Each structure stands twice: as C-alpha cells, then as structure tokens.
Amino acid sequence: MPYDESVPPTPRRRPLIAAAALAAVCLSAAGCGAGDDGGGAAARPGPGDGSAASAPSSASASASPSSSAAAPGKKSASPTPSASVSGPAKKISGPLSGKTVVIDPGHNPNNRLHTREINRQVDIGTGHKECDTTGTSTNSGYAEARFTLDVSHRLRDLLEEQGAEVLLTYDNDRSYGPCVDERARIGNKAKADAVVSVHADGSAVGNRGFHVILPAAVRGGAADTSKIVGPSRDLGTRIAGLFVRATGSAPSNYIGGNTGLDTRKDLGGLNLSTVPKVFIECGNMRDPRDAALLTSPDWRQKAAQGIADGISSYLKG
Ligand code: ZN
C-alpha cells in the first residue's frame, strides 16, 4: 500500500516545558527493547492488522521535546530508545491534573521498510511474537499507522486540555517500531494511570464498527496481568460506551458479540503491561463505509473525543 513515509510528527500545540521530567522513560536500548503487539488484529484471520508479522521492534519514544525530536520531517536513523513525551508544554490545571496517560499509536508508517527488524521475535512473557507489524490500510492506501498517529495527536491534545500528563510511545521519531514489548514498558515505566493503544482493523468487507480489546488473565515470564484485568475492563468499558456517544458508530458486528469488547491473551502489549491498558480498533479500514469514516478528519476528532471521554471517566472514578 502506498504508505506515506513522510508524515511529519505533528508539532505540539503548546511548547513543552515539562519534558525533562518524563524524558527518561526509556533510555537504554537494551532495556527498552522489543515489545508489544503490534496490531490488534494481527493474530486473527483475515486482513486485519494484517500481516503476519506483528511485533514492534524496539522502541521507545523519544523523551525529548517535540521541538527537537519531533521536528517535522526529521527521522531518526535508528530506533533510539526514548519516549516521546507528550507532556503538556505548560502545566494546565484541570480535572486530570496529576494523572499520567500513555497513548500508543499502533504500528509505524515506516515499518514496511524494515521487515527484517519488525519480524524479529520478542519475548512477550507467554511466548514470542514479532517486534511489530506493518498494520493495515484502506483500499485507497491510507495507512493504519497514519490514522493511529493522527488520532493519538488529537487525543493527546484533548487530555492535556484537562490537565493530564500525556506521553506517546512514539511520535514519528523513529525509523520503525517500537516493538510491542517496549510499547508496554513505556507505559509501565511512566507508571501510567491509563494506557490506550490506538488501531484500526483490516477485516472483510461488511465487517464494521469498533471494538475495545481487554487483557485476558495471563501469567508467564514477565507477563502477569492479574492486577490489571479488572481496572482495564473498567477503562475499556467506559471507552466503548463513550466512543459510541461521540462517534455514533456501532460496536463491531464481527467481534465481541455487539458489545464492543473483546478479550485477548495473545497481545504482548497487553500481556506485559503492569498498568491498566486497552487497545481500541476504531473501525475496519477494509470496509468502504468504515473507511469513509476513518479517512475523515472530522470523524477522527470524534473518535479521539470518545476515547478521551472514556479515559477521563475512568480516571475520575
Ligand atoms: Zn493495528
């Protein structure tokens, strides 16, 4: 698919002033290594997140302020471990002050150029999985990775306006990945109050709607979700309900029995998380009617609003 490699990181609306505090989310390549599941639907049949390979390579977001790390057009030559800090440029007081939210934009537009790296197997505790996947795209070539970053930027702005400290696992500032395990570690190291991994699915035509993916109870190696299953379900349920209200979209008609909720034990990004975390598949890029929504900036703003509302509701208790 015609992925657009040149999508620059979106400049933050506000100048970053608190980046230093969060800059160290992941400073060592060894420690930040591979990580999570790349695609929500990677393990499902059908065109979903498609590709077989799905584990994100190593990654970490860059902790530097966007002014440097996220300069438009700038690409990192190598996946430098760091975490993209999306922290508010200026501290805003609001109902989410004191809360930390990590947003994980699924995939990376440049993963397709790094198949060897993203196919590398990483340890997800319960087994091994590809570092990351390329993600899917609409039939017209709008890449999932572009969608996820766009929605993540909108979501970041909405949460920062409420006073939350927001980090992105990457912000178009690395050549591929991060790997799924690193995506999880970024949330863990930030001691995030909530983490949401943003995706869009790639399923058959006629399969429509969104679904939120919740962590199953798993244990193995570094994976132990026993403490996050409950709070993640609460987070995911709130997001699903408020996503409907904000977008008018119906829950998936092909996964989750019309509840908008699915539970999986095969995603490294969930298995390795020690903080409440869910994935959301905002729609099916391969269905023309869903694709018309996903490619609309107005709809993406509604999607971000729905996710923000769900996170906010969860954090307020
Ligand atoms: Zn995906």
Side-chain angles (χ1 to χ4, degrees):
M1 316 266 155
Y3 290 87
D4 179 352
E5 313 174 31
S6 61
V7 185
T10 298
R12 302 177 62 77
R13 289 179 185 170
R14 295 181 290 277
L16 272 181
I17 55 179
L22 296 169
V25 173
C26 188
L27 296 177
S28 104
C32 302
D36 206 348
D37 327 305
R44 294 183 182 280
D49 272 310
S51 20
S54 36
S57 45
S58 57
S60 32
S62 70
S64 10
S66 26
S67 57
S68 59
K74 176 176 181 177
K75 291 182 187 174
S76 55
S78 61
T80 304
S82 58
S84 301
V85 175
S86 305
K90 61 178 181 180
K91 289 286 186 179
I92 295 178
S93 264
L96 300 185
S97 291
K99 301 293 187 182
T100 299
V101 177
V102 169
I103 303 170
D104 178 39
H107 315 286
N108 179 322
N110 295 315
N111 276 355
R112 66 187 181 87
L113 304 174
H114 296 272
T115 50
R116 182 173 54 82
E117 290 91 342
I118 68 169
N119 284 336
R120 178 169 66 85
Q121 297 287 302
V122 297
D123 187 349
I124 66 166
T126 52
H128 289 79
K129 207 157 178 182
E130 297 84 356
C131 157
D132 204 357
T133 49
T134 59
T136 186
S137 73
T138 65
N139 290 335
S140 62
Y142 180 58
E144 179 189 356
R146 292 179 59 198
F147 170 84
T148 65
L149 197 55
D150 179 86
V151 171
S152 294
H153 287 149
R154 296 171 188 275
L155 176 56
R156 175 183 64 190
D157 290 342
L158 291 168
L159 293 169
E160 287 181 347
E161 286 167 3
Q162 297 184 69
E165 192 88 49
V166 181
L167 290 81
L168 267 61
T169 56
Y170 97 104
D171 195 4
N172 219 37
D173 50 2
R174 52 196 304 154
S175 52
Y176 63 88
C179 293
V180 291
D181 57 342
E182 181 173 359
R183 290 175 188 263
R185 278 198 287 272
I186 291 170
N188 297 345
K189 290 181 179 180
K191 295 182 168 54
D193 295 290
V195 185
V196 174
S197 187
V198 178
H199 291 260
D201 209 354
S203 188
V205 173
N207 287 343
R208 298 198 58 195
F210 76 92
H211 65 280
V212 176
I213 303 172
L214 312 174
V218 299
R219 194 164 194 170
D224 180 358
T225 59
S226 58
K227 292 187 173 67
I228 68 160
V229 165
S232 298
R233 173 166 286 276
D234 184 15
L235 170 65
T237 301
R238 290 172 191 259
I239 290 174
L242 292 167
F243 195 86
V244 169
R245 190 172 75 176
T247 63
S249 291
S252 170
N253 64 6
Y254 63 101
I255 288 175
N258 297 308
T259 64
L261 300 173
D262 186 27
T263 300
R264 289 175 62 172
K265 60 182 179 183
D266 62 315
L267 298 179
L270 295 179
N271 290 4
L272 295 173
S273 185
T274 57
V275 292
K277 181 173 182 179
V278 299
F279 279 40
I280 180 165
E281 298 280 2
C282 294
N284 175 17
M285 299 198 99
R286 292 294 182 174
D287 177 85
R289 289 189 295 173
D290 267 15
L293 300 176
L294 297 164
T295 54
S296 158
D298 288 345
W299 190 87
R300 292 197 295 273
Q301 186 63 32
K302 293 177 184 176
Q305 185 69 59
I307 299 168
D309 289 347
I311 293 171
S312 181
S313 169
Y314 169 77
L315 293 177
K316 292 172 186 172

